Amino acid sequence: MARQGVRVAVFDRGPVAGEQSSRAWGFIRKQGRHPAEIPLAAEASVLWDEITDEFGFESTHRVKSGILMPAETPEDEQVVETSYLDAQTHGLTSEILNAKALKEKLPQLAGS
C-alpha cells in the first residue's frame, strides 16, 4: 500500500515482526489449510519473496523450504490426501511419499 502512495502504520506488541503467535513457527504454510486460504497464503509467499529481494536476507531471514505432514493413521492419510488434492487445484508443488520413499528422501528420520 505504501508503494501505491497510501499512508500506512504498523502496530505490533513488541518490535515490528519481532514476535510470532504461540502456534506459528515463522513460516508461510500454503498447504494443509482451508482451500479458501490457499490463494492468500500463496500471494503472501510471493510478497515475502519480493520484500526479501528488495531488502535482502538480513532484513527478512526468509528461507524457502518444504513442510512434511506425516500420516500415522487412516484418518491422517485422508487429511494428507485432501491437502494434496487442494494443492494440485491451486497449482502448488506437492507430493505424497510412502514410507519407503520418505526414508529414501530423509534417511535421518527414525521410527515407523
Side-chain angles (χ1 to χ4, degrees), residues 46-79:
V46 169
L47 292 173
W48 274 107
D49 287 343
E50 291 174 1
I51 291 168
T52 301
D53 288 346
E54 183 173 346
F55 296 104
F57 173 79
E58 295 76 25
S59 296
T60 65
H61 298 276
R62 169 114 162 107
V63 176
K64 292 176 80 170
S65 62
I67 185 169
L68 178 65
M69 292 176 53
E72 298 177 298
T73 67
E75 292 80 17
D76 291 344
E77 288 180 1
Q78 184 59 51
V79 170

Side-chain angles (χ1 to χ4, degrees), residues 30 32-41 82-83 85-87 89-90:
K30 294 177 271 195
R33 295 185 168 276
H34 185 281
E37 296 175 345
I38 295 172
L40 181 61
T82 299
S83 178
L85 294 173
D86 290 340
T89 299
H90 292 282

